[in-house]
């Protein structure tokens, strides 16, 4: 079968698609079909039936990004048809009506499988919608399907999925980052103009950096966690992936709201993200975090970061060096707090009510057998770390101490924001690394999060946007995306986006993957 | 703490033989020189409309797994939200127990695996409970009939959630050895309060009095019906013994105490078992023991070789509960008259002390007050409420609230007896009729319809009595000859002639007159 793709639709921004649909130039159904077509051709799914499922790991192709675990094709087409009907009837529709998007498989959607990348939840169909899913539907965004991820969002490369690795559209032999690697690959690979990810210690920002996207972790509590399968409740936050800052703003606007079903949802009104978006950075003070550079950061990444600072200066911002003295131990604190919460959050996966059950003579043995078979190595490692950190006799030394560090880091940020408007750093110390390069070295993998974790611990908003390309170590001539992280005070997501927008305008980054092993982008494709 | 770790049915039992003891404590429970120490942990299910973290109904007795949702079955991604009513109810009970309210407190997770605990952690309170440092004054009747008031300290009252119910299908009836287990999550997430007493209790009677008094206070506040038989109130006893003046002994936790009576029996048994074991040179194991009501003894349920590590930590899904003074004072406004005050009031009104408990704990105080306000004599009303009303409602399987019976009905019933219209026996029949009508018919109406009315008109009755005396000459002679008891036969005949409607007192009086002149 030869298929004709529609690069004019799949490479367009969400804003352009929404504009074309509003103007009647293209229907929501055509836009959805174009994306489903591209997914069917390039992503390694069995494009059959109402819900397309991912190929099993053994059948995956090295040329497929494997962004999706399930594609809700029939529901997406029906939703698109419904939007077209309502638009024809003159109904008022939201600004992103008809724009398709991909949903990380950690958010529940009624009627569609939710696996969290784990054998433990294989086949589970949630009986309810996450608040994010409901908000997306209310805004008439069309969910294309559920994206691959590190199991229960634990990982920085999407190699911890029980259903096979996701590959980076810029270089299919490299990782897309994680844990929201499937969502990142979907947007970077032009399988969807937008995606929802979740970020606990960098799981949106780091993959965004590694795949040349805009990815934001909103202020903790501004996007509801109801229906987000918890990894670390005090850190988890859903947020947008997009190819432009404007699209990310539009998607975050669609999903953020107070939710009475989430006790940690902030009641405060978040400033209008679009109001001052284009005000520029002239006169703003931008802090460079002394502790989030230097050792451990690849030279290529450092070079792009320095160039970014020069660009910001040229735009009229004042660059100031500031210190977050506690930031260097943030990673250690994070890798105690997050596993501690995870050890409790993941206790419910016991084979009793849903998901996998491995039968055994007694309930206790059934629990143990199910958990032994259902969880992967990284999940087990973190459950054990967390269980230990919460244990009597160790609690004070580990969990409590880490909680104190968390408070100190929040104080560090408060002090820094007394001096500057926003803070910047490289998002990730490295560009995308090769599949398997760090899979057997958990500590090396954890270091991916060194720059993203402090903002997570403080609950402040932070995003990554493309700052340029850099050569990967050991790969002469390669050119891979590097991200710039922008961090803003609590509830000042608007300021974070304002700086990002100005930076994006000045950078002119082309989000279309390029390079010898990049995903093919357009034209006739034969299977 | 609500410890539901899987029972260990294989542990050896440690029941010691109970040697004969001669020198005993004044109450005869323990040998001379030994002291009993008891602390109670009581769980109270709150009767809020919805569960602790979700909107599901708390109704008791629904089909299994019908009052459930993604929150209370622990579905991935679901989050808890605190039931504000439950917090206010907990506060109310705390104030009624003379406790202090924490200005801010939070929820912790208590982590342990058990199939009926949907999330495999229980949301509970740990370092700072909502209520601290309360007490309850318990009246204990001594052997000589005097009443002594003893104060039992309450360490804390904290909020948590109930678990589901497991049903084990198989020979053992327990999880261990079951063929399969079924779980009903209807109860999972129902708000639960745990009231922890200090180990201030020194005898079984005070333990029972404390439990009874706590039950009365809970019922008076209306936060729960506190029915031990339905499990809306549950009690565990921590029991230890020591020689006077010594440090506290090793305690055992006794479970499965399903009534006030069980508590008393179990504490007595356990205290004697421990002393006998210690006197034999043995030692007490820190363990959980199961009270077997039919065998009348406690058995090892599981041994606590080490303290179970629940890995408590603050629940990151929930935020702090703030109890500003204004809120606490608003809740304090809701405080009802407390049982001790009510009892004193009833006694002052002439109600016998031993009937006050039935009214206060039986939940019929509102009826009592209404009946008395409607002119009913407090003594008679109390007598009816404590006796026949309870009995007849139980026979009809109805609660007082559902019966339709009002205080006004009771006042009327009592008045009909007092003016001689109804005999006590007739009044019982009338009460039956009122209950059968669902309260739609007043006692006078029922009496009228059923033709229930005592023949107490003297002229009419005298005529009937005269007839009976005339027709039973032999008996009359017998009576006159000194066999006073034989008069009963004549009373019976008068009753028969009046179809039981003769006033027995008056009948007797008239017979005496006519026979003895």
């Amino acid at each position: 079968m030869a298929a004709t793709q529609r690069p004019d639709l799949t490479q367009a921004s969400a804003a352009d698609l929404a504009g074309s649909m509003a103007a009647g130039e293209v229907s929501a159904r055509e836009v959805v079909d174009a994306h489903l077509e591209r997914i069917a051709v390039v992503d390694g799914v069995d494009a059959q039936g109402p819900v397309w499922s991912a190929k099993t790991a053994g059948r995956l192709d090295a040329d497929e990004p494997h962004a999706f675990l399930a594609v809700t094709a029939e529901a997406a087409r029906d939703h698109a048809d419904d939007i077209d009907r309502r638009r024809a009837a003159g109904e008022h529709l939201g600004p992103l009506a008809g724009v398709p998007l991909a949903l990380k498989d950690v958010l529940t959607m009624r009627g569609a499988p939710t696996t969290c990348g784990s054998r433990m939840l294989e086949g589970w169909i949630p009986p309810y919608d996450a608040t994010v899913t409901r908000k997306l539907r209310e805004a008439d965004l069309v969910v294309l399907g559920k994206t691959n991820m590190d199991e229960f969002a634990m990982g920085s490369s999407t190699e911890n999925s029980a259903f096979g690795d996701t590959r980076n559209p810029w270089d299919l032999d490299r990782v897309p980052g994680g844990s929201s690697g499937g969502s990142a690959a979907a947007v970077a690979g032009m399988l969807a103009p937008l995606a929802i990810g979740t970020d606990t210690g960098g799981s949106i920002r780091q993959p965004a950096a590694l795949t040349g996207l805009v990815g934001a972790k909103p202020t903790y509590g501004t996007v509801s966690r109801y229906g987000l399968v918890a990894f670390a409740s005090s850190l988890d936050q859903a947020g947008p992936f997009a190819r432009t800052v404007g699209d990310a703003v539009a998607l975050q606007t669609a999903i953020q709201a107070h939710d009475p079903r989430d006790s940690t949802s902030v009641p405060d009104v978040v400033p209008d993200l679009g109001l001052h978006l284009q005000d520029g950075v002239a006169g703003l003070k931008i802090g460079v975090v002394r502790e989030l550079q230097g050792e451990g950061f690849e030279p290529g990444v450092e070079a792009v970061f320095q160039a970014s600072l020069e660009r910001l200066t040229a735009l009229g911002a004042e660059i100031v060096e500031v210190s977050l003295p506690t930031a260097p131990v943030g990673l250690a604190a994070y890798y105690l707090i997050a596993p501690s919460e995870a050890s409790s959050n993941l206790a419910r996966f016991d084979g009793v009510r849903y998901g996998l059950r491995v039968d055994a003579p007694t309930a206790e043995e059934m629990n143990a057998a199910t958990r032994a078979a259902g969880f992967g190595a990284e999940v087990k490692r973190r459950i054990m770390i967390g269980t230990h950190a919460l244990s009597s006799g160790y609690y004070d030394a580990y969990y409590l101490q880490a909680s104190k560090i968390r408070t100190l880091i929040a104080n560090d940020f408060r002090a820094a924001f007394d001096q500057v408007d926003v803070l910047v750093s490289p998002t990730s110390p490295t560009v995308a690394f090769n599949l398997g390069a760090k899979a057997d070295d958990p500590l090396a993998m954890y270091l991916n999060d060194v720059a993203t974790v402090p903002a997570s611990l403080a609950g402040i908003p932070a995003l990554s946007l493309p700052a340029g390309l850099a050569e990967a170590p050991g790969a002469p001539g390669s050119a891979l995306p590097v991200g710039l992280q922008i961090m803003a005070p609590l509830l000042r997501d608007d300021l974070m986006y304002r700086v990002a927008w100005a930076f994006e305008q000045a950078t002119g980054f082309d989000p279309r993957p390029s390079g010898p092993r990049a995903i093919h982008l357009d034209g006739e494709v034969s299977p | 703490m609500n410890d539901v770790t899987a029972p260990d049915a294989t542990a050896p039992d440690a029941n010691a033989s109970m040697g004969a003891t001669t020198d005993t404590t004044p109450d005869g429970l323990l040998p001379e020189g030994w002291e009993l120490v008891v602390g109670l942990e009581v769980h109270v299910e709150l009767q809020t409309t919805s569960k602790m973290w979700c909107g599901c109904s708390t109704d008791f007795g629904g089909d299994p797994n019908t009052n459930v949702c993604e929150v209370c079955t622990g579905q991935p991604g679901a989050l808890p939200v605190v039931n504000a009513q439950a917090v206010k109810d907990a506060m109310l009970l705390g104030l009624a127990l003379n406790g202090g309210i924490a200005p801010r407190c939070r929820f912790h997770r208590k982590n342990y695996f058990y199939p009926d605990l949907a999330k495999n952690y229980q949301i509970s309170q740990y370092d700072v409970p909502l209520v601290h440092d309360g007490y309850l004054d318990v009246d204990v009747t001594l052997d000589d009939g005097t009443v002594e008031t003893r104060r039992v300290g309450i360490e804390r009252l904290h909020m948590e959630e109930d678990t589901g119910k497991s049903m084990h299908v198989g020979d053992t009836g327990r999880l261990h050895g079951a063929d399969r287990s079924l779980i009903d999550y209807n109860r999972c997430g129902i708000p639960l309060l745990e009231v922890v007493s200090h180990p201030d209790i020194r005898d079984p009677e005070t333990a029972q009095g404390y439990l009874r008094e706590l039950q009365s206070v809970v019922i008076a506040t209306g936060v729960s019906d506190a029915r031990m038989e339905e499990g809306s109130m549950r009690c565990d006893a921590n029991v230890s013994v020591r020689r006077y003046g010594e440090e506290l002994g090793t305690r055992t936790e006794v479970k499965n105490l399903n009534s006030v009576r069980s508590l008393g029996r179990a504490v007595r048994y356990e205290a004697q078992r421990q002393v006998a074991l210690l006197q034999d040179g043995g030692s007490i194991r820190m363990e959980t023991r199961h009270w077997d009501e039919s065998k009348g003894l406690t058995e090892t349920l599981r041994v606590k070789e080490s303290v179970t590590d629940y890995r408590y930590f603050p629940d990151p899904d929930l935020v702090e509960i703030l109890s500003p003074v204004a809120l606490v004072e608003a809740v304090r406004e809701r405080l009802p008259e407390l049982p001790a005050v009510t009892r004193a009031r009833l006694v002052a009104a002439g109600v016998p002390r031993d009937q006050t408990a039935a009214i206060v704990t039986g939940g019929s105080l509102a009826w009592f007050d209404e009946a008395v306000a409607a002119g009913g004599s407090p003594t008679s009303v109390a007598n009816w409420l404590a006796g026949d009303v309870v009995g007849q409602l139980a026979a009809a399987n109805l609660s007082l609230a559902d019966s339709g019976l009002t205080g006004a009905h009771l006042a009327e019933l009592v008045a009909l007896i007092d003016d001689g219209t109804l005999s006590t026996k007739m009044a019982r029949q009338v009460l039956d009729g009122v209950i059968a009508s669902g309260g739609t018919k007043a006692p006078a109406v029922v009496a009228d319809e059923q033709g229930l009315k005592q023949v107490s008109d003297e002229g009419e009755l005298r005529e009937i009595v005269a007839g009976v005396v005339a027709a039973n000459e032999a008996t009359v002679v017998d009576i006159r000859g000194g066999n006073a008891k034989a008069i009963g036969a004549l009373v019976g005949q008068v009753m028969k002639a009046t179809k039981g409607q003769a006033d027995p007192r008056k009948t007797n009086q008239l017979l005496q007159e006519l026979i003895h002149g």
Side-chain angles (χ1 to χ4, degrees), chain A residues 128 226-227 345 347 350 353-354 392, chain B residues 70 74 76-77 109 111 118 120 309:
Chain A
Y128 74 105
Y226 196 80
N345 284 331
D350 59 3
R353 289 160 301 277
Y354 38 73
S392 165
Chain B
E70 66 261 23
R109 290 187 186 174
N111 295 286
N120 284 320
D309 188 354

Side-chain angles (χ1 to χ4, degrees), chain B residues 30-273:
Chain B
L30 298 179
E32 191 64 48
W34 287 87
E35 184 182 38
L36 165 67
V37 178
V38 178
L40 298 181
E41 292 174 5
V42 179
H43 284 92
V44 178
E45 259 186 15
L46 290 180
Q47 246 102 47
T48 45
T49 314
S50 57
K51 291 186 180 180
M52 188 70 201
W53 318 114
C54 60
C56 287
S57 165
T58 55
D59 283 350
F60 178 81
D63 284 340
N65 297 313
T66 50
N67 294 333
V68 295
C69 70
E70 66 261 23
V71 176
C72 53
T73 56
Q75 300 289 313
L79 296 173
V81 176
V82 174
N83 180 339
Q85 190 59 48
V87 177
K88 289 183 204 163
D89 284 359
M91 226 179 253
L92 181 68
L93 183 59
L95 293 171
L97 296 174
N98 311 293
I101 308 296
R104 55 204 305 163
C105 63
R106 56 185 176 179
F107 288 99
H108 273 62
R109 290 187 186 174
K110 178 180 178 179
N111 295 286
Y112 64 93
F113 280 85
Y114 205 68
D116 60 19
L117 185 65
K119 304 179 296 296
N120 284 320
Y121 59 80
Q122 182 189 34
I123 305 176
S124 184
Q125 294 195 289
Y126 182 56
D127 50 1
V128 184
L130 179 71
V131 182
H132 59 89
D133 298 317
Y135 64 85
L136 199 52
D137 285 333
V138 179
D139 286 346
V140 180
T141 308
L142 304 179
D143 287 344
D144 62 5
T146 58
V147 174
E148 193 177 287
T149 300
R150 295 179 184 157
R151 178 161 292 186
V152 177
I154 292 172
E155 183 192 325
R156 59 189 279 159
L157 182 155
H158 69 248
M159 293 177 284
E160 55 187 33
E161 56 177 331
D162 212 340
T163 62
K165 272 185 187 162
S166 298
M167 281 147 285
H168 305 299
V169 183
D171 295 340
T172 59
R174 287 184 179 179
L175 178 62
H176 192 90
D179 293 335
R180 64 201 170 95
S181 298
L182 303 170
I183 306 167
D184 176 6
Y185 289 102
N186 281 352
R187 200 180 68 178
C188 200
I190 286 184
L192 207 56
L193 300 182
E194 181 170 334
V195 184
V196 183
S197 88
H198 282 293
D200 288 352
I201 297 167
R202 295 289 176 269
D203 57 85
E205 293 72 28
T206 307
Q208 290 178 296
Y210 170 85
L211 187 58
R212 226 180 268 121
E213 188 65 13
L214 181 57
Q215 193 173 32
S216 305
V217 173
V218 170
I219 290 168
T221 56
V223 301
S224 173
D225 58 14
R227 288 190 188 161
M228 294 195 74
E229 67 283 6
E230 281 182 13
S232 57
M233 182 159 140
R234 310 194 275 271
C235 175
D236 301 331
N238 288 310
V239 181
S240 65
V241 296
R242 63 174 169 188
R243 289 181 193 278
Y244 280 106
E246 285 184 352
E247 295 284 295
L248 285 174
T250 304
R251 65 185 168 81
T252 60
E253 185 179 5
V254 183
K255 288 184 174 287
N256 195 40
L257 306 173
N258 295 323
S259 66
V260 173
R261 185 169 172 270
S262 297
L263 170 64
R265 291 183 69 201
V267 166
R268 253 177 228 111
Y269 174 87
E270 183 59 16
Q272 294 181 338
R273 183 190 73 87

Side-chain angles (χ1 to χ4, degrees), chain A residues 468-485:
Chain A
L469 298 173
E471 191 178 88
S478 61
L480 291 160
V482 173
L484 174 72
Q485 178 175 230

Side-chain angles (χ1 to χ4, degrees), chain A residues 408-488:
Chain A
L408 292 178
I409 287 177
N411 292 343
D412 281 0
F413 273 112
R414 248 191 302 276
F417 288 128
D418 283 343
Q419 303 167 51
V420 297
D421 296 294
V422 297
L423 294 166
V424 292
S425 77
T427 307
S428 163
T430 72
V431 295
F433 45 91
N434 284 316
L435 286 161
K438 301 181 184 178
D440 299 324
D441 186 351
L443 289 180
M445 192 69 92
Y446 295 171
L447 282 171
N448 280 298
D449 304 333
V450 68
T452 49
V453 150
S456 298
L457 290 169
I460 60 171
L463 65 67
S464 179
L465 84 166
L469 298 173
E471 191 178 88
S478 61
L480 291 160
V482 173
L484 174 72
Q485 178 175 230
I486 302 171
M487 297 167 274

Side-chain angles (χ1 to χ4, degrees), chain B residues 370-417:
Chain B
E370 193 191 342
V372 172
S377 129
T379 323
S380 308
V381 169
N383 199 31
W384 277 86
L385 275 174
D388 290 289
V389 171
V390 172
Q392 295 206 18
L393 287 177
N397 199 18
L398 275 174
S399 72
L400 192 49
D402 296 336
S403 69
L405 203 63
T406 66
H409 290 150
L410 286 170
E412 189 179 322
L413 192 70
V414 165
L416 288 172
I417 301 165

Side-chain angles (χ1 to χ4, degrees), chain A residues 50 76 96 101 119 149 168 173 180 217 249 258 290-291 298 321 334 355 358 364 418 464 480 516:
Chain A
L96 290 176
L101 92 171
R119 291 273 171 228
M149 55 186 282
N168 191 326
D173 295 327
S180 311
K217 180 199 89 71
V249 166
H258 175 68
R290 188 181 303 145
E291 290 81 5
E298 286 175 1
E321 192 175 76
Y334 172 84
V358 178
E364 226 168 84
D418 283 343
S464 179
L480 291 160

Side-chain angles (χ1 to χ4, degrees), chain A residues 119-134:
Chain A
R119 291 273 171 228
M120 189 59 95
L121 278 178
E122 200 170 5
W124 180 58
I125 309 284
Y128 74 105
D129 272 338
T131 297
V132 166
T133 309
R134 182 171 55 77

